[in-house]
Amino acid sequence: MTISSPVLRNSMRLILPLTLLYALFAMLKGHNEPGGGFIGGMIFATAVCTYRMSHGYAAQLRLLPIHPRILIFLGLGLALGTSAVPLLLGHPFLRSAVGEFHLPFTHHPFHYASAMAFDLGVMLVVVGVAVGMITQLSEELE
Amino acid sequence: MNLSNLIILFIVIPMGTGVLGVLFKYQVGLMRVLGSLSLASTALLAVGLLIHLRSHETGILVTQMGAWPAPYGISVVFDSLSGLLLAASSLVALGCYVHSFSTVSAAAQARYFHPMVQLLMFGVNLAFLTGDLFNLFVSFEIMLMASYCLLTFGGTRLQMTQAYKYVLLNLVGSTIFVIGAGLVYGMTGTLNFADLARFVAERQALGEDLPTGFTALSIALLLVFGLKGAIFPLWFWLPDTYYTANVSIAGLFAGMLTKVGIYAIARTFPMIFAHGGSEATKVVMPILAISAAFTMFLGVLGAVSHHNIRRILAVHVISQVGYMVFGLALMTQIALAGCLFYMIQHMVVKSCLFLCCGIIERHTGTDDLDRSGGLLRRDWYLALVFFIAAMSLVGLPPLSGFFGKLVIIREGWDTRWWLSIFGLLTGALTLLSMLKIWSYCFWSPQAAAVERPAGESPPPGSMRPAYAGATLLVLVALFLGFGAQPVYEIAFRAGEQLADPRDYITAVLGPESLDHLAGRDLRSPAELAAAARREATP
């Protein structure tokens, strides 16, 4: 379903990058604060679907040139892989590695956890499911 | 390598295979190999761990997800109860999965059939392994989600109608479940089974009352589990649902899904809600006993009255669930062991009968008893497999059903003799209904040939996987009959673990968790009375 509105088309230029950036931000801050892969994925998918509304399906394919099924596979694989790695090291499933490292030119140490990769996987799954569903439904409508 | 970390493989393997199935959606051949390997490996793993645990001190393996300690994190527990059920369910799934190669159309197979089977097993395995109530809910949801998809493969109008009812009913059940889980957390401050068992045992040992409403809560959860397990009077959804699904999938469901509900009762009630002489026990036990009698007897009456193979088999699932609830209603160590043995043998045998039904349908083009016949001459091998499975279901002595029924009925004779009489009567009627299928389908002369539409007759050799699946299950059923001794050893240990939660609690929460209850017997009064009876009659 495409809405041919110049207002929407032009404002999407601003909205799209901001929303995608915010999705990434929500995903990353989910480690210690409200947010996380699921919310980040929803926001990402909203951006993609709004873009589809303003620019059409072909433009969406250029923006996200991966089949949603593959996104779901990558996301689930990443999440499952991250959770299974500790098994090889003799730790329980889902055990997260945590630590800190210093980025050059910054004062604050950067706190990382391998659970972040799990969250990224969740995000990919949510994007894949949401975009895939909306694509299927709008195909039926058209 | 720490062995207990490995029990998570029961969840990782099917999930990983399911994920690969999403990628290789159209590579049906590859997915068949991967899927069979996944189910076979979980079955082997379960059997291997069970054999290993026979000499283990407590017989319970525990892993804490992400190394978060027990009542706060997610515990995954492998004890004798879950081990036996995991082994049986993986084998049943393997048989039905191989059978589905000949019954599920190629178009359906390329529509996420393979990932759905794996995700169903992911949910089932998680349900058997999880150590807390909320994750039990989650695993029910995973399992149901996959079952909704599998139920509607084919997408006929009838399937959609039945699936709609099934989805609606299960949504209601899940809602009550999650409300119940919330209330449990509110009343006790924990959802972990071991911690709950400790909470209840502690209150009783110190002579304190359980929180107000604990009984009502246990009834609400019994309602949910009873709905999944199809016990009286919550069975009404079952016959139609199994009737409309593809026959291999119906076999898978008949083996697996009701048993998960019964498992949930077996896991939570003896240890937690109906533990000891609590008020809940006095309410729950009679309910379970009466419901067992009705489930057994009315179920088998339904089976006798039907005249259509699949309906007979589907209604029979209900009647057999009654025996398991019978074992639960006694709630002694031996009755629980009998219940567990009956569960695994029923999973195998009932699925095998459904798989045979699939082959019969292929031969005759119908599952109406009146229009089939003469199969004994046309296919003696199928007749043999069907006969062994049917007689196992009835419980003819050297076969598996006998040992399950024997233990439960014998144990019930002292305290609830009327239930045992219902059990025996049901056995006789089961024989009648199985003989009905046997004599109409196999012994009667060939019925008038059913005219098939042109082009529908299957290519020769396409039924080989179906025979392979049925053969696998009938071999397992024979093993359960002739090798009942080692299986029962493990089942008795499971009964012990359920009747006396001490081992389970210390395995999950650590050895200090019961220090302040030292020396107190945590077994229930029913179990103590049964133990006294056992000692009196050597």
Side-chain angles (χ1 to χ4, degrees):
Chain A
M1 221 208 283
T2 316
I3 302 169
S4 53
S5 144
V7 180
L8 183 64
R9 279 178 79 91
N10 283 314
S11 49
M12 264 322 276
R13 286 190 193 165
L14 188 62
I15 293 173
L16 182 71
L18 274 182
T19 324
L20 293 187
L21 209 62
Y22 187 71
L24 212 62
F25 169 70
M27 194 276 278
L28 284 176
K29 96 182 168 106
H31 186 57
N32 284 327
E33 283 173 65
F38 186 82
I39 302 296
M42 283 326 274
I43 299 171
F44 197 106
T46 317
V48 173
C49 294
T50 327
Y51 187 67
R52 183 203 165 99
M53 274 165 74
S54 65
H55 286 71
Y57 184 46
Q60 184 209 313
L61 277 184
R62 275 196 300 280
L63 179 70
L64 196 71
I66 312 176
H67 193 280
R69 183 165 62 91
I70 307 298
L71 269 183
I72 295 173
F73 164 76
L74 287 177
L76 282 175
L78 187 61
L80 190 66
T82 325
S83 357
V85 167
L87 283 182
L88 301 176
L89 307 174
H91 293 294
F93 191 67
L94 280 175
R95 181 94 171 94
S96 176
V98 287
E100 286 179 349
F101 62 82
H102 289 271
L103 292 171
F105 313 117
T106 52
H107 278 303
H108 289 291
F110 185 79
H111 175 84
Y112 73 92
S114 64
M116 241 167 63
F118 183 90
D119 247 2
L120 186 66
V122 174
M123 181 166 168
L124 289 179
V125 176
V126 174
V127 173
V129 170
V131 172
M133 273 185 189
I134 288 176
T135 309
Q136 286 275 331
L137 285 177
S138 46
E139 264 173 21
E140 268 181 34
L141 278 180
E142 285 159 11
Chain B
M1 182 110 182
N2 192 351
L3 195 63
S4 40
N5 285 343
L6 285 186
I7 58 177
I8 200 70
L9 285 180
F10 290 109
I11 295 164
V12 174
I13 293 175
M15 188 182 168
T17 319
V19 172
L20 283 177
V22 175
L23 180 66
F24 299 121
K25 186 183 168 195
Y26 300 105
Q27 281 82 351
V28 172
L30 176 69
M31 275 324 292
R32 284 178 175 177
V33 175
L34 284 180
S36 312
L37 276 180
S38 141
L39 297 173
S41 60
T42 46
L44 280 180
L45 190 63
V47 173
L49 280 179
L50 280 176
I51 293 172
H52 174 79
L53 285 183
R54 282 171 73 178
S55 53
H56 192 270
E57 189 189 352
T58 57
I60 300 175
L61 292 176
V62 183
T63 177
Q64 314 286 359
M65 297 288 84
W68 297 101
Y72 311 109
I74 300 170
S75 316
V76 173
V77 188
F78 180 98
D79 60 358
S80 305
L81 173 67
S82 20
L84 274 183
L85 285 169
L86 280 169
S89 63
S90 296
L91 283 172
V92 165
L94 182 61
C96 294
Y97 185 60
V98 172
H99 186 274
S100 76
F101 299 163
S102 13
T103 59
V104 178
S105 67
Q109 295 222 359
R111 297 200 60 166
Y112 297 114
F113 172 75
H114 301 278
M116 281 307 153
V117 174
Q118 297 296 328
L119 292 182
L120 181 81
M121 288 315 291
F122 167 41
V124 170
N125 290 356
L126 184 62
F128 290 150
L129 281 173
T130 179
D132 70 89
L133 200 59
F134 188 73
N135 273 288
L136 190 66
F137 164 74
V138 172
S139 59
F140 270 34
E141 284 304 297
I142 296 172
M143 191 179 82
L144 288 172
M145 213 70 90
S147 75
Y148 300 153
C149 296
L150 287 173
L151 206 58
T152 48
F153 263 109
T156 61
R157 198 185 173 84
L158 193 63
Q159 278 180 328
M160 290 299 171
T161 319
Q162 290 307 334
Y164 182 70
K165 289 186 212 162
Y166 178 77
V167 170
L168 210 62
L169 203 68
N170 278 303
L171 275 182
V172 174
S174 299
T175 311
I176 302 175
F177 192 177
V178 84
I179 291 173
L183 288 175
V184 169
Y185 189 74
M187 279 181 198
T188 64
T190 182
L191 285 168
N192 188 297
F193 290 148
D195 211 24
L196 282 169
R198 188 188 58 82
F199 176 86
V200 173
E202 204 174 76
R203 288 287 179 290
Q204 284 176 354
L206 303 177
E208 290 171 21
D209 284 341
L210 287 167
T212 320
F214 202 65
T215 311
L217 184 58
S218 68
I219 300 292
L221 287 175
L222 187 66
L223 180 83
V224 177
F225 299 150
L227 189 67
K228 315 270 175 197
I231 67 178
F232 177 84
L234 306 165
W235 63 23
F236 45 84
W237 57 272
L238 191 141
D240 289 337
T241 313
Y242 287 9
Y243 182 68
T244 50
N246 169 287
V247 71
S248 311
I249 295 168
L252 191 64
F253 284 10
M256 219 80 76
L257 295 192
T258 49
K259 260 48 95 204
V260 178
I262 301 296
Y263 162 80
I265 301 179
R267 173 62 80 204
T268 52
F269 277 79
M271 275 201 322
I272 302 164
F273 295 112
H275 179 74
S278 68
E279 192 193 342
T281 320
K282 289 175 202 125
V283 182
V284 169
M285 301 289 259
I287 291 181
L288 277 178
I290 292 168
S291 147
F294 275 109
T295 316
M296 276 192 290
F297 196 64
L298 294 185
V300 83
L301 283 188
V304 169
S305 72
H306 276 295
H307 205 70
N308 173 308
I309 306 174
R310 254 211 239 185
R311 279 202 189 269
I312 293 178
L313 292 178
V315 179
H316 246 301
V317 174
I318 297 167
S319 156
Q320 309 289 317
V321 162
Y323 280 102
M324 299 162 207
V325 182
F326 181 4
L328 289 176
L330 300 172
M331 226 167 264
T332 62
Q333 184 180 327
I334 292 184
L336 288 171
C339 167
L340 173 58
F341 186 88
Y342 201 80
M343 264 162 93
I344 56 174
Q345 82 90 15
H346 176 254
M347 284 165 107
V348 174
V349 167
K350 177 57 77 179
S351 295
C352 185
L353 284 173
F354 265 99
L355 300 191
C356 289
C357 171
I359 306 179
I360 294 174
E361 279 174 18
R362 189 55 79 87
H363 276 312
T364 61
T366 172
D367 66 342
D368 189 343
L369 282 177
D370 277 335
R371 293 199 288 157
S372 46
L375 279 178
L376 185 60
R377 196 164 298 160
R378 270 171 67 188
D379 192 346
W380 63 268
Y381 183 72
L382 175 65
L384 181 72
V385 171
F386 180 86
F387 189 75
I388 296 174
M391 289 304 120
S392 300
L393 189 77
V394 174
L396 214 61
L399 297 169
S400 55
F402 170 71
F403 297 102
K405 288 184 185 176
L406 175 73
V407 169
I408 297 176
I409 289 176
R410 177 70 197 80
E411 185 69 9
W413 196 256
D414 297 322
T415 44
R416 296 194 193 273
W417 54 269
W418 51 276
L419 256 178
S420 295
I421 290 176
F422 267 113
L424 291 172
L425 209 59
T426 306
L429 289 173
T430 309
L431 180 66
L432 183 69
S433 61
M434 283 298 126
L435 284 182
K436 189 161 87 177
I437 302 182
W438 174 255
S439 63
Y440 271 98
C441 260
F442 293 96
W443 260 358
S444 71
Q446 174 99 47
V450 181
E451 60 276 13
R452 282 172 190 280
E456 212 191 71
S457 78
S462 73
M463 288 309 280
R464 263 184 224 133
Y467 283 99
T471 308
L472 173 76
L473 291 191
V474 89
L475 287 179
V476 177
L478 281 176
F479 169 76
L480 286 176
F482 289 97
Q485 176 77 21
V487 180
Y488 249 122
E489 269 171 34
I490 301 171
F492 277 130
R493 193 158 193 195
E496 218 172 296
Q497 285 162 354
L498 286 179
D500 183 356
R502 191 180 299 266
D503 280 346
Y504 188 87
I505 296 174
T506 48
V508 177
L509 294 180
E512 315 82 42
S513 53
L514 284 178
D515 277 355
H516 55 296
L517 297 178
R520 288 181 196 263
D521 203 329
L522 296 186
R523 287 178 293 175
S524 65
E527 171 55 26
L528 288 175
R533 267 201 311 279
R534 276 200 296 281
E535 275 167 27
T537 53

